[in-house]
Amino acid sequence: MLVLVTPIGVAQVSSDLDYLPSDIQYDPKVPKPEAVLGYPVGTWHVRHDQIVNYLYKLADSSDRVSIEEIGRSHEQRPILLLTFSSAANQKNLSALRQTHLAALEGNKAANAPLVLWMGYSVHGNEPSGANAGLLVAYYLAAAQGEEVEKLLDEAVILLEPALNPDGLSRFAQWANMHKGLNLVSDPNHREHWEDWPSGRTNHYWFDLNRDWLLLTHPESRARIAKFHEWRPQVLTDFHEMGTNSTFFFQPGIPSRKNPWTPDANVDLTHALGKFHAAALDKTGQLYFTQESFDDFYYGKGSTYPDAMGSVGILFEQASSRGHLQDSIHGPLSFPATIQNQVTTSLSTFAGALANAKALKDYQRGFAAETARLADKDELSGYLLSESQDKSRFQALLDILRQHKIQLHGLSKDLQLDGKKFSSDSTVFVPLDQPQYRLLKSIFSTRTSFQDNTFYDVSNWNLPLAFNIDYLPVARSNWRKVPISDTLPTLTSSPSSLKEGAYAYAFSWQDSKAPMLLQSLLEAGIKVKVAGGAFTATTTQGSVAFAAGSIVVPRALQQPANWVASIEKFSKAADIKVWSIESGLTAQGSDLGSRSMMVLETPKLLLVGGVGTSQYEVGEVWHYLDQHVGLPATIVDMDRLSRITLSDYSHIVMVDGDYRQLDDKLVDRIQDWIKQGGVLIAQKGAAKWASQQEWLQASFLSDKEISAAFDTSQLSFADQEALQGKQRIAGAVLAGNVDLSHPLAFGYDNTDVAFLRNSNLVMRANAKPFIQVSGYSQKPLRAGYVSDEMQKLLAGSSNLVANKLGKGKVIGTTDNLTFRGYWYGTSRFLSNAIYLAPLMDN
């Protein structure tokens, strides 16, 4: 049995069975994890490849389990989903699934199964969940007796053993490489302090627990597809928290529930919580509930299911962050953390079985009540329209479709509320559909809340994130919308280029234009960028090109087969390239004008390492790598002094603490800029650049921001509320963009939504030609920003750019590539990389 020195503390484990109920038998034909790993679970941190190896052997040994690979991580690790049920049910899984889905629509079939989804370790350095998943899988496959047989007869259990394969493997390597024969529990030991980046994140250093709605990554896309195939009644999400904590299970803070989640969801969570409490009481474990953590953001594992009629449940276990670590409750061992995750996995099964009827009734009632809410809504849906950037529009629609959101096209053009909507670039999203609650959240512009303290973002409006024009359609107007089942074709006509043309050109307005440009540059093709709009004669007639358009002249020395290369790359980017017949233009600059500037292939250095935000570094890396095709050299901050800066054309610095850079290095960076380098600084880096007097902007100090809040009448109990008012966790603010500035080329509307997740305030820039974007006088579009912070931000600058010697410095207070889905502002980053030379005009 598991030997606990204290209720929290040290565990000695000699067998995998030590974690599991001892009053039942286990099928000897089913291998325990230790038989495959070579040691009991918890002795070492298990790698993902070991998990995969064991689970395939488990599936081969038992007729209670089926296994499938549902996708691959960025690092090509298989994403596995196991389905447990009785042997008889395994032969009939497809029919059981259909019966279950029919029940959701009101068919009260008596034989509809209970469907549970068990998910472990979405954060790779929270490994007790994944290790517990091995033991739970063994239990479901091998345990004998009436209790487990009833569970398998009446339920289908979907088990995802490791939601973040890449991060889990990264952390396992870290923990194992520091383990000695004698475990070191000292919190200062290197084992308990991961290197940068931590194993919490995936390959691109994203937090996958924020990606259930956004679907930026393959791990999330694979999971959501299977979630919608099964629509479980309960979904569990096993995590870890600080070493000095105990154990948490939901419900969380009642006032921090998403308003579209029914109260009955919380009631069921309470009902299941009684089973967790009883199980933990039996083993003497400390725990808490209804504190910390929230259920507001619908993009997390424990909240996304709530929008679908499932009950999502978060578990948080105090972390040993290695094999053994001292805590305020005594030594905390890795096996002890695994034990609590196993215990509450089994209590989930018991609680779900005991509440099976209530869970099924709730899910059926959820669908019916959702339909009633949609019927009563004053809106009938939303019109989405984007004519210039079809790639950006397509990316948004792809996300909506993955969430099983119904979309319609228009059978003809429409004019409504003074706006024109073309049938070839408009989609109608009806609210009268099962995803009504998720849609209301996705399109939310709520700015006031019952509880203003947010664990995560307070808004995630997808059309605003994608900078897509949309119009809420009143129910009284829905008959005016000419709905079609055929969606617009958001593709460009193919480029059939004329050999021997004077030049070739494409617009900069599509989001994939930077990718096309980068492909041309890497192929050695010489290109120019237009500093202003022009109208050229093409093989298909006169065509107007906006400022920022890319021109490939035959007059420049081009490589062999360059025209064929342009055709190939344009097809990959789905961007129309035109054949131009003359350098003389009907309007604007001629193609030989000095305003047409030659572009060089960028060589970009991205500063990372300790002192920088791994999330923001990862977001920039992901954007450049996945969307632009630009290889970025990532250099840790503590190595910058050993780098030859002249090897690079651009340096990107994200949020971080750059005060650790010594004066000699700061002087070198300044010289590099003055010699022609481009520094792109985000958030804290922008403030630091302004302090070096490189960025011609100034910021409010922390004291000035604090002084905006009246604290004279506050009590000790008001501390958290004050911190919540001073913090901007994630809200949408309206920027007013100067469309004539080169960094804004490709945009066609001055109103651009920015994601803000800091309380930095850049003063309004009075110098001419510096400000690219400034906040409006009433900037808040969606989410929570306190009145005091809104007053400070009103009219302030949020994106500026200036010359310094021969170089440029570009600074922003906002996260331009937030979580990989804020397409609306990521263009500013590629503009800063490719179009900065136009600032010399």
Side-chain angles (χ1 to χ4, degrees):
M1 286 294 296
L2 192 67
V3 179
L4 294 174
V5 175
T6 69
I8 288 288
V10 175
Q12 297 176 344
V13 59
S14 59
S15 168
D16 291 335
L17 295 180
D18 291 347
Y19 295 96
L20 298 169
S22 59
D23 55 351
I24 61 173
Q25 297 297 313
Y26 294 88
D27 186 347
K29 296 191 297 294
V30 178
K32 296 189 289 291
E34 62 189 280
V36 177
L37 299 175
Y39 51 82
V41 170
T43 309
W44 294 88
H45 282 252
V46 68
R47 301 187 313 270
H48 185 261
D49 62 292
Q50 295 172 304
I51 292 175
V52 171
N53 184 38
Y54 171 68
L55 292 177
Y56 271 109
K57 293 183 183 301
L58 180 78
D60 287 340
S61 71
S62 172
D63 57 5
R64 295 175 173 181
V65 56
S66 54
I67 188 170
E68 61 181 319
E69 180 182 311
I70 62 174
R72 290 261 168 167
S73 70
H74 282 295
E75 295 177 14
Q76 292 303 300
R77 291 186 171 90
I79 303 167
L80 299 183
L81 184 68
L82 288 84
T83 305
F84 292 91
S85 201
S86 67
N89 287 345
Q90 285 287 341
K91 298 176 182 178
N92 201 29
L93 279 179
S94 179
L96 285 173
R97 185 176 70 86
Q98 293 299 333
T99 300
H100 165 65
L101 294 178
L104 301 187
E105 298 175 0
N107 185 340
K108 297 183 179 180
N111 60 343
L114 181 68
V115 181
L116 310 178
W117 185 298
M118 311 296 289
Y120 298 93
S121 297
V122 71
H123 296 140
N125 63 358
E126 300 176 4
S128 60
N131 283 263
L134 292 177
L135 297 160
V136 174
Y138 170 73
Y139 171 83
L140 291 171
Q144 306 295 300
E146 188 176 316
E147 184 176 348
V148 70
E149 288 172 6
K150 176 179 172 62
L151 173 67
L152 294 170
D153 283 341
E154 299 181 9
V156 173
I157 300 164
L158 306 163
L159 189 147
E160 191 177 3
L163 280 70
N164 181 2
D166 298 344
L168 180 74
S169 294
R170 188 185 313 138
F171 181 72
Q173 175 68 16
W174 178 266
N176 290 336
M177 69 186 280
H178 292 100
K179 180 188 176 185
L181 290 175
N182 301 290
L183 301 184
V184 180
S185 62
D186 185 346
N188 293 316
H189 180 45
R190 195 168 188 261
E191 178 182 7
H192 309 306
W193 290 89
E194 288 176 83
D195 205 351
W196 188 103
S198 73
R200 175 183 177 89
T201 53
N202 78 335
H203 173 77
Y204 282 104
W205 311 333
F206 279 62
D207 185 337
L208 287 180
N209 197 39
R210 305 298 187 267
D211 196 46
W212 285 66
L213 176 65
L214 313 178
L215 305 182
T216 301
H217 299 282
E219 299 91 337
S220 307
R221 294 192 289 269
R223 183 179 314 115
I224 289 302
K226 283 297 176 182
F227 175 91
H228 283 286
E229 280 188 23
W230 276 101
R231 294 290 297 278
Q233 278 98 2
V234 176
L235 183 146
T236 59
D237 190 19
F238 289 87
H239 289 250
E240 293 181 11
M241 54 184 168
T243 304
N244 290 323
S245 296
T246 57
F247 190 88
F248 167 85
F249 55 87
Q250 284 182 317
I253 298 174
S255 61
R256 298 182 190 172
K257 174 180 72 67
N258 191 290
W260 290 106
T261 301
D263 292 338
N265 178 291
V266 180
D267 295 338
L268 284 168
T269 306
H270 271 294
L272 296 176
K274 293 178 181 179
F275 287 80
H276 309 318
L280 294 170
D281 285 345
K282 188 175 181 180
T283 58
Q285 297 298 307
L286 294 173
Y287 59 87
F288 65 98
T289 185
Q290 298 189 82
E291 294 180 32
S292 190
F293 307 108
D294 68 43
D295 274 338
F296 186 73
Y297 172 44
Y298 270 160
K300 296 188 296 183
S302 60
T303 51
Y304 180 82
D306 295 344
M308 309 292 161
S310 304
V311 177
I313 301 179
L314 171 69
F315 298 94
E316 293 273 356
Q317 162 65 46
S319 180
S320 62
R321 285 292 188 270
H323 293 86
L324 181 68
Q325 186 172 174
D326 292 334
S327 78
I328 61 174
H329 299 103
L332 177 62
S333 73
F334 186 39
T337 68
I338 296 170
Q339 177 66 75
N340 285 340
Q341 308 282 37
V342 172
T343 297
T344 48
S345 293
L346 302 186
S347 63
T348 297
F349 300 150
L353 269 185
N355 291 277
K357 184 178 184 303
L359 288 165
K360 293 178 183 179
D361 289 345
Y362 168 73
Q363 200 170 48
R364 280 195 298 267
F366 179 93
E369 178 59 24
T370 298
R372 285 192 289 271
L373 288 173
D375 187 58
K376 293 178 181 178
D377 200 302
E378 295 179 352
L379 299 178
S380 64
Y382 304 91
L383 286 164
L384 300 172
S385 184
E386 173 57 50
S387 60
Q388 300 299 322
D389 188 346
K390 294 184 178 182
S391 296
R392 177 160 42 88
F393 197 13
Q394 186 68 67
L396 171 60
L397 298 182
D398 286 346
I399 292 176
L400 298 181
R401 276 191 287 257
Q402 288 177 81
H403 292 299
K404 304 303 178 184
I405 290 171
Q406 299 167 14
L407 306 173
H408 296 287
L410 300 183
S411 60
K412 60 181 180 179
D413 294 349
L414 169 68
Q415 184 158 343
L416 190 64
D417 292 353
K419 291 187 176 182
K420 294 181 179 180
F421 296 92
S422 174
S423 61
D424 65 357
S425 58
T426 301
V427 168
F428 180 67
V429 187
L431 281 174
D432 187 8
Q433 61 173 294
Q435 303 298 59
Y436 168 82
R437 297 177 197 252
L438 184 64
L439 278 171
K440 293 295 287 187
S441 187
I442 284 174
F443 283 84
S444 173
T445 54
R446 180 190 295 264
T447 58
S448 61
F449 305 86
Q450 179 184 356
D451 188 330
N452 293 329
T453 303
F454 291 95
Y455 183 72
D456 199 73
V457 293
S458 58
N459 188 272
W460 49 93
N461 183 300
L462 290 184
L464 291 179
F466 280 79
N467 193 30
I468 298 296
D469 187 29
Y470 74 99
L471 177 71
V473 178
R475 182 165 293 278
S476 59
N477 284 332
W478 77 270
R479 293 185 184 277
K480 299 178 182 178
V481 180
I483 293 176
S484 168
D485 289 335
T486 303
L487 293 177
T489 303
L490 300 176
T491 57
S492 299
S493 55
S495 303
S496 180
L497 302 185
K498 178 183 176 182
E499 284 286 350
Y502 182 88
Y504 306 94
F506 60 91
S507 167
W508 188 248
Q509 290 171 298
D510 193 278
S511 291
K512 290 186 177 179
M515 180 179 74
L516 176 52
L517 171 60
Q518 179 64 25
S519 298
L520 297 177
L521 293 172
E522 287 194 349
I525 296 173
K526 309 298 184 186
V527 305
K528 285 193 169 191
V529 59
F534 66 96
T535 300
T537 302
T538 76
T539 54
Q540 294 175 270
S542 183
V543 175
F545 292 90
S549 293
I550 303 300
V551 179
V552 190
R554 180 160 52 92
L556 300 182
Q557 187 174 358
Q558 303 292 5
N561 300 317
W562 63 290
V563 177
S565 295
I566 296 173
E567 283 190 330
K568 180 180 73 171
F569 297 139
S570 69
K571 182 178 180 180
D574 190 26
I575 291 178
K576 175 74 172 180
V577 178
W578 305 83
S579 301
I580 297 178
E581 297 192 311
S582 173
L584 185 65
T585 63
Q587 291 182 347
S589 300
D590 295 328
L591 299 194
S593 167
R594 282 176 289 186
S595 68
M596 298 275 183
M597 303 193 68
V598 175
L599 294 182
E600 302 292 336
T601 306
K603 183 72 183 295
L604 187 141
L605 186 154
L606 175 57
V607 180
V610 176
T612 66
S613 166
Q614 68 172 325
Y615 300 119
E616 293 189 20
V617 174
E619 288 159 357
V620 171
W621 175 28
H622 177 267
Y623 172 70
L624 297 178
D625 195 42
Q626 291 283 320
H627 295 276
V628 181
L630 172 61
T633 300
I634 303 174
V635 176
D636 285 5
M637 196 189 302
D638 62 6
R639 290 191 60 246
L640 275 178
S641 60
R642 288 172 276 176
I643 298 297
T644 302
L645 297 180
S646 59
D647 289 343
Y648 303 93
S649 59
H650 296 71
I651 295 177
V652 177
M653 292 180 166
V654 300
D655 195 32
D657 183 0
Y658 296 90
R659 293 173 297 180
Q660 60 186 280
L661 300 183
D662 62 49
D663 292 342
K664 288 184 179 179
L665 177 56
V666 172
D667 289 342
R668 285 181 55 212
I669 296 174
Q670 178 173 288
D671 290 342
W672 171 83
I673 298 171
K674 289 183 175 181
Q675 292 302 311
V678 178
L679 175 66
I680 304 168
Q682 184 167 284
K683 292 172 58 177
K687 184 175 181 179
W688 177 77
S690 76
Q691 292 168 345
Q692 310 311 311
E693 299 183 348
W694 303 341
L695 186 68
Q696 295 178 23
S698 62
F699 288 73
L700 295 186
S701 67
D702 292 341
K703 286 185 178 180
E704 289 175 302
I705 293 173
S706 297
F709 295 83
D710 182 6
T711 59
S712 61
Q713 302 299 316
L714 299 185
S715 66
F716 182 82
D718 294 323
Q719 291 181 84
E720 185 178 14
L722 175 62
Q723 292 171 359
K725 293 178 72 175
Q726 293 176 333
R727 179 172 179 252
I728 302 177
V732 185
L733 274 68
N736 184 23
V737 175
D738 177 2
L739 297 180
S740 72
H741 198 288
L743 297 194
F745 287 175
Y747 289 88
D748 56 9
N749 194 319
T750 59
D751 183 9
V752 176
F754 288 81
L755 190 285
R756 166 166 281 265
N757 59 350
S758 80
N759 66 351
L760 287 172
V761 180
M762 188 191 300
R763 291 186 175 90
N765 204 303
K767 297 178 181 178
F769 321 125
I770 299 294
Q771 180 169 289
V772 182
S773 175
Y775 289 135
S776 64
Q777 290 301 317
K778 293 183 179 181
L780 184 59
R781 295 281 298 273
Y784 175 71
V785 178
S786 66
D787 291 341
E788 292 87 347
M789 286 303 305
Q790 288 188 57
K791 290 179 181 177
L792 293 176
L793 290 167
S796 66
S797 297
N798 69 308
L799 178 60
V800 298
N802 59 260
K803 291 185 281 189
L804 182 65
K806 297 178 181 178
K808 288 91 182 173
V809 183
I810 299 158
T812 179
T813 58
D814 300 324
N815 189 337
L816 299 180
T817 56
F818 182 67
R819 292 183 180 167
Y821 82 109
W822 213 270
Y823 279 56
T825 56
S826 58
R827 167 58 65 87
F828 288 115
L829 177 58
S830 50
N831 283 2
I833 295 169
Y834 294 104
L835 305 189
L838 292 175
M839 290 172 56
D840 290 331
N841 281 351

